Amino acid sequence: MAIHFYNTFSKMKEEFKPIEPGIARIYTCGPTVYDYAHLGNYRAYMFEDLLRRVLKFNGLKVIQVMNITDIDDKTIKGSKDRGIPLSEYTARYIKAFFADLKTLGIEKAEVYPKATDHIPEMVSLVKTLMDKGYAYQGEDGSIYFRIAKFEPYGKLSGKKINELKCGYRISSDDYSKEEASDFALWKGWTPQDGNVFWETELGKGRPGWHIECSAMSMKYLGSHFDIHCGGIDNIFPHHENEIAQSEAATGQKFVNYWLHCAHLMVEGEKMSKSLGNFWTLREVLDKGYDPRTIRFTLLSTHYRQPLNFTLEGAHASKESLNRLYDFINMLQRVKKPEGKSGETINALVENTREKFKENLNNDLNISGAIGTIFEMIKQVYLISKKNELNQAEAQLILDLIGEMDTVLGVLPSKEETLSQEVLTRIKLREEARQSKDWALADQIRDELLEMGIVLEDTREGTIWKKR
RNA sequence: GGCGCGGUAGCCAAGUGGUAAGGCAGAGGUCUGCAAAACCUUUAUUCACCGGUUCAAAUCCGGUCCGCGCCUCCA
């Protein structure tokens, strides 16, 4: 089944054809580790997680590279303000970042290169650009990319250089450029940088922001690879600049498919640090939401739609997942050896699998894919209601859900257990119910509910679940 | 101003030519000792608005209104 993605470059949905059959090489713009990442950042990483999972679901091997930007104005400022070395300052945020990824169930990329570990690669790339006349050194010692020489500049973002508003953030280094829109490949050392600098063939200084992505993606994925992702705000200037640097240096096409996700909104505005309206993962978890609920919330809206994050929405996600979990519990309790649903279940499972995949392969239509799961749930409940479901069929459905969860990643990783003490209380309640001591039975049920354990009395006896 | 995305029920959200998925929330009912879960019924004669194309439009075309993003920190 063909996979289609919306390519920012062509502004159209295109069939995905990997350069090397069977392998998808992906570069995803990662975090700048000057602070804790916020939910908006994680929306982007969640989208990239979905992308890699869907590719794998289709049987492709994925090689994903995600950079860690550990050198820029903000990290330098942060380390100076705290009076600690840059690497020590960034280490805590790198650690927090990986911890959050784990919490959210985001699969690890194959490579997480740090900018500071790749200075030689960047220097070499800048030298190539200088040799080819695409870069020049300004009076301030910085090296700039000569946009005027790269004719296709603007082809990703649809911007024309002469129409760009002049930046309002004109700093002294702008007087060293030939054109205001030229961007820094290498920044000459200034006193503000303190002891953060590298002595290289380009002089004393540090890399510009964009060059790391070109140097590191080419190192790990080759000079021409399949997919490059990021937030929509990276289209310009970041990705535009990456194309310019990379293609000017190698003379070949940099990336085939550019995928960008829309922003996470909060009360109608994008969540960002500069607006001060951001929530970290920890803050949301502290409001009592399960990590899987947050994962599902971030995942369940199509990546090109702005996602308005609200507590009401998180609640809806939580209840949706509960419906799924209850359904799984029900299937696990089916013990009937015989049944007469036969063909119906087989057809339903096949059909659901097909539609699920079809939706995902249509530009990662996760909302549609999730819809197919809940449609199936309803159908299966109707069949089970008539007591026509047997154990083998229940297992078939459980297997399908397990398969689909390789994409969703919302099922609990291991079975939950109760303490002996709680099990004893449940047993006591059973006895109370036998002797129709409803007061005691209800009291125990309320007691356990306080502890987050829900009891349900079914035909086959009492079952429990954690909520 | 330039470029881009969008407006579908109380909320979230699929659906790109064939007669409105799904989730949450609400109401009534079945089941239950009571609950819970599940099921049934119910909640958009209609997809921002106005024209047009078509046998047929939420979907295509033109226009209008509104919201959001980017235009050198940003996921």
Side-chain angles (χ1 to χ4, degrees):
Chain A
M1 191 189 294
I3 309 172
H4 289 82
F5 294 128
Y6 179 88
N7 190 346
T8 307
F9 193 85
S10 63
K11 297 181 180 63
M12 289 194 302
K13 271 189 203 174
E14 295 176 15
E15 182 174 343
F16 176 64
K17 291 180 184 154
I19 295 164
E20 183 178 341
I23 302 182
R25 290 186 169 82
I26 309 177
Y27 188 86
T28 51
C29 280
T32 301
V33 285
Y34 70 102
D35 195 358
Y36 296 105
H38 61 65
L39 271 192
N41 300 121
Y42 287 119
R43 190 212 180 172
Y45 307 136
M46 194 65 79
F47 141 64
E48 289 151 1
D49 183 53
L50 176 64
L51 173 66
R52 63 173 283 134
R53 285 168 181 261
V54 168
L55 289 166
K56 284 166 77 179
F57 192 72
N58 278 274
L60 280 99
K61 180 181 173 188
V62 171
I63 301 174
Q64 180 192 358
V65 176
M66 178 178 280
N67 64 296
I68 304 285
T69 301
D70 58 352
I71 164 83
D72 80 321
D73 291 353
K74 283 184 257 192
T75 46
I76 291 173
K77 184 174 185 304
S79 71
K80 270 181 70 182
D81 288 352
R82 299 239 182 123
I84 54 176
L86 182 68
S87 59
E88 190 182 318
Y89 175 77
T90 56
R92 73 184 288 174
Y93 298 113
I94 292 173
K95 199 174 160 201
F97 173 67
F98 285 117
D100 284 355
L101 291 187
K102 195 171 178 195
T103 302
L104 286 169
I106 292 175
E107 282 187 1
K108 289 199 85 173
E110 280 61 30
V111 193
Y112 287 101
K114 281 192 244 173
T116 53
D117 290 339
H118 295 79
I119 303 295
E121 286 85 348
M122 295 187 232
V123 169
S124 156
L125 188 57
V126 173
K127 277 177 65 189
T128 303
L129 289 170
M130 289 187 83
D131 290 346
K132 292 192 172 186
Y134 285 104
Y136 61 90
Q137 188 150 34
E139 287 170 21
D140 58 354
S142 294
I143 296 169
Y144 298 98
F145 187 88
R146 184 176 282 130
I147 285 179
K149 171 139 172 119
F150 187 71
E151 193 268 329
Y153 192 85
K155 62 182 177 173
L156 175 70
S157 58
K159 296 190 188 304
K160 297 184 181 69
I161 313 168
N162 53 11
E163 286 174 5
L164 292 177
K165 278 199 294 191
C166 268
Y168 1 95
R169 295 160 44 84
I170 290 177
S171 66
S172 59
D173 62 336
D174 286 350
Y175 299 109
S176 306
K177 299 186 199 173
E178 292 175 359
E179 300 281 347
S181 48
D182 288 350
F183 59 91
L185 297 165
W186 183 260
K187 295 192 172 192
W189 182 85
T190 68
Q192 285 177 343
D193 294 341
N195 59 1
V196 178
F197 62 84
W198 283 262
E199 287 282 9
T200 73
E201 296 166 69
L202 304 175
K204 179 178 176 179
R206 59 177 169 105
W209 173 37
H210 314 292
I211 197 72
E212 64 174 88
C213 287
S214 291
M216 299 193 296
S217 61
M218 287 196 245
K219 174 171 181 179
Y220 296 101
L221 299 172
S223 50
H224 176 211
F225 57 95
D226 299 301
I227 304 176
H228 195 128
C229 308
I232 197 168
D233 50 358
N234 275 160
I235 295 172
F236 189 87
H238 188 49
H239 291 164
E240 194 69 73
N241 289 171
E242 276 186 56
I243 291 175
Q245 294 163 348
S246 308
E247 299 192 355
T250 66
Q252 54 177 308
K253 190 177 184 185
F254 182 43
V255 168
N256 283 155
Y257 303 87
W258 290 89
L259 273 55
H260 294 95
C261 75
H263 285 125
L264 184 81
M265 316 287 287
V266 57
E267 282 157 31
E269 280 185 312
K270 86 166 179 174
M271 182 180 285
S272 76
K273 298 216 168 126
S274 48
L275 291 172
N277 60 350
F278 65 94
W279 287 353
T280 62
L281 178 61
R282 216 144 303 179
E283 283 167 341
V284 180
L285 294 177
D286 286 346
K287 288 180 194 292
Y289 288 96
D290 189 84
R292 285 172 296 174
T293 298
I294 305 306
R295 176 177 174 86
F296 193 72
T297 307
L298 294 179
L299 194 66
S300 55
T301 294
H302 183 86
Y303 76 96
R304 285 191 289 118
Q305 287 293 344
L307 192 168
N308 196 9
F309 188 88
T310 60
L311 293 180
E312 195 187 353
H315 175 77
S317 293
K318 179 187 160 95
E319 293 304 322
S320 298
L321 284 178
N322 279 159
R323 182 165 161 81
L324 177 63
Y325 297 154
D326 283 339
F327 177 68
I328 291 168
N329 277 329
M330 181 280 286
L331 291 175
Q332 286 169 340
R333 295 199 310 274
V334 172
K335 294 284 183 262
K336 264 182 57 143
E338 304 287 324
K340 48 181 176 178
S341 51
E343 291 299 305
T344 318
I345 290 291
N346 286 336
L348 185 60
V349 165
E350 282 316 307
N351 192 258
T352 302
R353 177 186 282 116
E354 188 72 8
K355 283 201 294 185
F356 181 76
K357 192 172 175 186
E358 198 177 294
N359 273 296
L360 291 175
N361 286 358
N362 178 17
D363 196 30
L364 307 177
N365 183 356
I366 188 73
S367 311
I370 291 171
T372 64
I373 300 176
F374 285 98
E375 278 179 81
M376 175 185 76
I377 288 178
K378 186 159 193 157
Q379 297 296 315
V380 174
Y381 265 128
L382 282 171
I383 292 167
S384 83
K385 189 95 176 166
K386 288 188 269 179
N387 204 24
E388 289 178 351
L389 201 63
N390 69 36
Q391 199 174 355
E393 290 163 348
Q395 192 55 50
L396 198 63
I397 299 161
L398 285 170
D399 290 346
L400 173 64
I401 292 176
E403 213 178 293
M404 296 194 290
D405 193 58
T406 63
V407 174
L408 299 178
V410 293
L411 296 190
S413 52
K414 56 182 174 201
E415 285 199 19
E416 292 179 314
T417 52
L418 291 182
S419 68
Q420 196 52 50
E421 196 185 344
V422 171
L423 289 171
T424 308
R425 297 296 285 168
I426 294 176
K427 195 151 186 236
L428 183 64
R429 177 171 173 277
E430 280 295 273
E431 287 161 12
R433 291 187 72 233
Q434 293 286 323
S435 52
K436 299 198 191 301
D437 183 353
W438 307 127
L440 178 60
D442 291 352
Q443 188 203 315
I444 294 172
R445 186 169 61 192
D446 290 345
E447 216 172 80
L448 295 185
L449 187 61
E450 287 285 305
M451 299 163 64
I453 298 160
V454 178
L455 297 185
E456 294 176 8
D457 302 318
T458 72
R459 230 180 305 182
E460 294 84 27
T462 301
I463 61 164
W464 60 268
K465 61 193 178 195
K466 288 187 178 173
R467 278 287 141 91

